[in-house]
Amino acid sequence: MATATPDRTLLPTEEPLALLRPDGSAVEGSPLRMPDDEVLLELHRRMVVGRRFDTQATALTRQGRLAVYPSSRGQEACQVGAVLAMRERDWLFPTYRDSVALVTRGVPAAGALTLLRGDWHLGYDPREHRVGPQCTPLATNTPHAVGFAHAARYKGEDTAALVLLGDGATSEGDTHEALNFAGVWKAPVVFLVQNNGYAISVPLSKQTAAPTLAHKGIGYGIRSVLVDGNDAAAVYAVVSQALASGEPVLVEALTYRIEAHTNADDASRYRDSAEVAHWLARDPVDRLASHLASRGLLDPARRDSVDAEAEEFAAALRAELNADARVDPADLFRHVYAEPTAQLREQAAMLARELDAERLGTEEFDGGRA
């Protein structure tokens, strides 16, 4: 039996691809093309707004306005860089930690947090924004992205899918199945793994023996790329190329989650302050700001303008989420099936009768007191 010769072009580089060093200086000899100045400025603006959104959402959780919030502070370059690389016709398949990606894509801020508030599973129209529902179970969005991209190609559409996942999701069976199908079908899907070092409290070393997560692509016949996930310019360049290729690409972006897994997590139990400090010195927002400032593209006036925009964004979010949500119990039955079943109709009618009886009793009680 003949054996296949490994395709070396599928392997990632030994070192993460980058355009900017941690101090903001340009990397000489990078194979990536530096984005235009307008793109760099937009990357910076969106990251600043995204970070302010993230800190506001964290505060709203502490105030009881959100049930839970998984912060993505430190991962802004991954989410903003990747989303801005998307074409209007492409689709995004996010996870629960990708709220910054959603608002960057144009999803209203409150809509991006509806799932985490507990009002609805989905607070926006997927078709309007070309954004799939946020995925809470690990990796279940990966086969969705592959199925969508394969169907789009089958229909003759020039559409690609960008699916976001974390390092922990690469250990799930759904990711294996999605990568396998994407490789066989050559589906136009970009798998962006935001490797932030931990699957909740489990470090990467305890879930894989692979040299990098990017190396896993070769097993599926998929080209893989390793990129500095705190370099917004590099993420933008890599994802732009991958989406334009029309083929499946696995991108591992090395980054770090500065905050805890969620507000219910105590990160100090599994990592020390020195590790966090190491990554704070590699902050993606500061890196790009330093680069732009060194080139005279980000002066104090422009910086102040961006900061003011971010504050206005946060204030609008506060105002909307500080208002009590109007919840209609009948919504439990309205969106389960396109055509409600007889059992659902019966249950909805029973609930309506109970609510009417409760309201009538309250009115009679109030009338008696009067």
Side-chain angles (χ1 to χ4, degrees):
M1 179 184 296
T3 58
T5 302
D7 185 351
R8 299 295 179 185
T9 63
L10 300 179
L11 285 170
T13 53
E14 292 186 7
E15 296 296 326
L17 296 175
L19 284 166
L20 300 176
R21 296 186 178 89
D23 64 0
S25 60
V27 174
E28 297 179 2
S30 174
L32 300 176
R33 178 184 175 275
M34 182 70 78
D36 296 338
D37 292 347
E38 293 76 12
V39 173
L40 293 177
L41 287 168
E42 184 66 1
L43 287 167
H44 173 262
R45 184 179 76 86
R46 295 299 191 103
M47 286 199 295
V48 171
V49 173
R51 175 163 295 181
R52 185 63 186 90
F53 162 83
D54 185 87
T55 57
Q56 185 61 69
T58 298
L60 287 165
T61 306
R62 293 170 180 157
Q63 296 164 8
R65 288 299 180 180
L66 295 177
V68 66
Y69 182 70
S71 172
S72 59
R73 181 186 170 200
Q75 298 180 216
E76 293 90 352
C78 293
Q79 297 188 28
V80 173
V83 169
L84 289 188
M86 296 175 66
R87 301 164 298 184
E88 183 179 353
R89 60 184 177 272
D90 295 332
W91 273 69
L92 174 68
F93 290 83
T95 73
Y96 58 88
R97 196 179 298 281
D98 299 319
S99 297
V100 170
L102 266 66
V103 297
T104 303
R105 186 63 171 165
V107 174
L113 297 174
T114 300
L115 169 66
L116 303 171
R117 192 180 190 183
D119 297 342
W120 288 82
H121 177 66
L122 186 62
Y124 53 89
D125 182 354
R127 291 181 180 85
E128 178 184 355
H129 303 287
R130 294 182 177 265
V131 177
Q134 286 171 284
C135 162
T136 301
L138 292 188
T140 56
N141 56 338
T142 56
H144 297 164
V146 175
F148 176 89
H150 179 60
R153 168 172 284 179
Y154 190 78
K155 293 187 293 184
E157 299 174 357
D158 180 17
T159 303
L162 171 66
V163 57
L164 305 179
L165 60 156
D167 45 289
T170 63
S171 296
E172 295 289 329
D174 296 68
T175 302
H176 156 75
E177 294 159 4
L179 287 166
N180 192 54
F181 273 117
V184 171
W185 290 337
K186 299 300 180 186
V189 184
V190 177
F191 298 82
L192 179 62
V193 181
Q194 299 176 78
N195 180 3
N196 63 22
Y198 292 92
I200 305 182
S201 59
V202 179
L204 187 67
S205 60
K206 290 189 176 181
Q207 64 166 308
T208 183
T212 68
L213 294 175
H215 275 80
K216 294 191 174 187
I218 194 172
Y220 304 97
I222 292 177
R223 183 169 65 86
S224 301
V225 182
L226 182 64
V227 65
D228 185 334
N230 281 20
D231 181 352
V235 173
Y236 176 90
V238 165
V239 175
S240 295
Q241 291 178 3
L243 288 169
S245 71
E247 296 184 348
V249 181
L250 173 62
V251 179
E252 178 186 359
L254 295 178
T255 185
Y256 194 76
R257 187 193 77 219
I258 296 297
E259 304 294 341
H261 176 68
T262 68
N263 57 299
D265 174 41
D266 180 6
S268 65
R269 297 178 62 185
Y270 54 84
R271 65 186 193 187
D272 57 36
S273 57
E275 179 179 302
V276 178
H278 170 83
W279 283 95
L280 281 171
R282 287 155 177 75
D283 183 88
V285 182
D286 292 344
R287 180 184 302 197
L288 184 53
S290 296
H291 175 77
L292 293 171
S294 69
R295 296 179 53 207
L297 297 173
L298 186 64
D299 57 23
R302 190 179 191 107
R303 192 189 292 263
D304 290 344
S305 175
V306 172
D307 289 342
E309 179 187 353
E311 287 301 326
E312 290 177 7
F313 193 87
L317 176 61
R318 277 197 308 275
E320 190 160 358
L321 265 66
N322 280 335
D324 291 332
R326 294 183 178 181
V327 180
D328 183 356
D331 286 339
L332 290 168
F333 308 98
R334 288 191 176 118
H335 304 287
V336 181
Y337 294 103
E339 183 65 33
T341 63
Q343 185 180 35
L344 277 180
R345 289 195 296 270
E346 180 182 350
Q347 293 173 356
M350 181 177 67
L351 176 62
R353 290 193 299 269
E354 292 178 356
L355 291 174
D356 287 342
E358 181 179 339
R359 281 193 290 269
L360 180 61
T362 301
E363 291 171 359
E364 290 177 348
F365 177 75
D366 290 342
R369 286 175 53 185

